[in-house]
């Protein structure tokens, strides 16, 4: 993370937006597809496979009409998903061209709405800051309850310090998306699921407050963050019974999400 606090905050905004399916909108949002789905940690995703979008794992058709009315070319032509931390090619060699690239991806490739200026700038800063040395290609990190809670908290912290209402609301959307990833792994545990969903519901008025620019937002986010620590401890106690446990995931009946 850079020493420049303004740029560090921008990178956190970009990271949260990168993980939020609502950034892309349309069909992508409906199926929970985010930038992170194709580019895990900003890299590639050799395990990505989506019906109608991929052939071999790790490929995607970026000109499909499934997601885009603008770039759809009526040809099934999936390509390998690129590593965003790899060498910068000419079209993305500068902040200006990277801004154009990301804007086009969101608005044209996925039919999303134009992101708030701070969110677009954050995405540019996040992608530009990706360092292949910090996360070598091919190295896999386990998906855990703690990692998803961390994503939610980081997004909410970005919301608390955002300087415009639209960006703050987008950050809370990203936090809610992180909680939904936890929810789908605890559906066999009704009591834990109810507690988690109650915490998620508490974010709804915070998102409304963010859109309205209410001064109490940072304080209320702080309260949620404090209370979430107990919830995480409760969920962690039963994590071995959830789908975070590799054995449980491996035994999941075929055909279930």
């Amino acid at each position: 993370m850079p020493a420049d606090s303004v740029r560090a905050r921008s990178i956190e905004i970009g990271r949260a937006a990168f993980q939020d399916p609502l950034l892309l909108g349309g069909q992508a949002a409906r199926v929970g597809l985010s930038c992170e789905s194709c580019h895990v940690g900003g890299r590639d995703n050799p395990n990505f496979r989506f019906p109608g979008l991929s052939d071999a794992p790790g490929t995607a058709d970026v000109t499909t009409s499934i997601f885009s009315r603008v770039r759809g070319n009526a040809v099934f032509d999936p390509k390998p998903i690129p590593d965003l931390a790899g060498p910068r090619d000419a079209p993305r060699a500068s902040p200006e061209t990277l801004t154009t690239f990301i804007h086009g991806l969101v608005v044209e490739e996925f039919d999303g709405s134009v992101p708030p200026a701070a969110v677009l700038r954050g995405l540019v800063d996040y992608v530009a800051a990706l360092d292949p040395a910090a996360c070598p290609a091919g190295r896999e990190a386990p998906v855990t309850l703690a990692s998803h809670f961390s994503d939610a908290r980081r997004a909410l912290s970005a919301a608390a310090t955002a300087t415009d209402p639209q960006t703050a609301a987008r950050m809370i959307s990203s936090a809610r998306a992180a909680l939904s990833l936890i929810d789908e792994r605890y559906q066999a545990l009704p009591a834990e699921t109810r507690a988690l969903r109650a915490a998620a519901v508490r974010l709804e008025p915070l998102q409304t407050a963010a859109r309205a620019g209410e001064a109490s937002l940072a304080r209320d986010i702080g309260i949620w963050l404090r209370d979430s620590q107990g919830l995480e401890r409760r969920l962690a106690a039963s994590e071995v019974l959830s789908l975070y446990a590799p054995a449980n995931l491996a035994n999941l009946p075929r055909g279930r999400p």
Side-chain angles (χ1 to χ4, degrees):
M1 191 64 69
D4 179 353
S5 61
V6 174
R7 187 159 182 265
R9 286 196 298 271
S10 181
I11 290 172
E12 283 293 286
I13 288 171
R15 181 182 185 273
F18 199 84
Q19 297 174 347
D20 184 10
L22 290 185
L23 171 73
L24 302 179
Q27 294 295 339
R30 292 186 182 94
V31 299
L33 193 69
S34 67
C35 299
E36 181 79 12
S37 301
C38 292
H39 304 279
V40 179
R43 308 302 300 267
D44 58 6
N45 182 358
N47 300 312
F48 179 85
R49 193 165 191 175
F50 191 95
L53 193 65
S54 310
D55 52 11
T59 65
D61 180 359
V62 299
T63 56
T64 174
S65 57
I66 294 175
F67 295 118
S68 175
R69 295 166 296 179
V70 177
R71 296 189 180 178
N73 63 0
V75 177
F76 184 57
D77 52 357
K79 303 290 191 300
I81 294 170
D83 179 355
L84 298 183
R88 295 290 185 259
D89 53 22
R92 293 184 291 144
S94 70
E96 293 76 17
T97 52
L98 187 53
T99 299
T100 300
F101 172 79
I102 293 175
H103 180 278
L105 186 149
V106 172
V107 176
E108 296 181 4
E109 188 174 321
F110 287 95
D111 287 347
S113 59
V114 177
V119 170
L120 181 58
R121 183 168 61 251
L123 287 163
V124 171
D125 287 340
Y126 173 68
V127 173
L130 292 171
D131 183 354
C135 184
R139 179 177 294 178
E140 295 186 354
V143 175
T144 64
L145 171 70
S147 66
H148 281 150
F149 253 112
S150 175
D151 289 340
R153 291 194 180 102
R154 289 176 70 170
L156 287 171
S157 295
T161 58
T163 57
D164 68 277
Q166 294 81 8
T167 298
R170 288 292 187 101
M171 296 300 95
I172 297 175
S173 171
S174 180
R176 295 176 67 180
L179 294 182
S180 74
L181 295 177
I182 300 173
D183 184 284
E184 66 185 16
R185 288 164 172 80
Y186 273 83
Q187 292 195 17
L189 302 167
E192 286 81 356
T193 300
R194 284 194 297 271
L196 178 62
R197 291 179 182 177
V201 166
R202 287 180 56 193
L203 292 181
E204 294 178 10
L206 295 189
Q207 198 165 16
T208 300
R211 294 190 185 101
E214 293 185 10
S216 62
L217 179 64
R219 180 203 65 196
D220 293 341
I221 286 175
I223 294 171
W224 192 98
L225 291 173
R226 181 199 65 200
D227 293 347
S228 72
Q229 295 173 9
L231 173 62
E232 183 177 4
R233 287 193 295 269
R234 176 178 178 178
L235 295 178
S238 56
E239 187 171 3
V240 294
L241 302 175
S242 76
L243 293 182
Y244 283 110
N248 297 338
L249 190 62
N251 292 329
L252 192 69
R254 292 178 63 87
R256 283 193 58 188

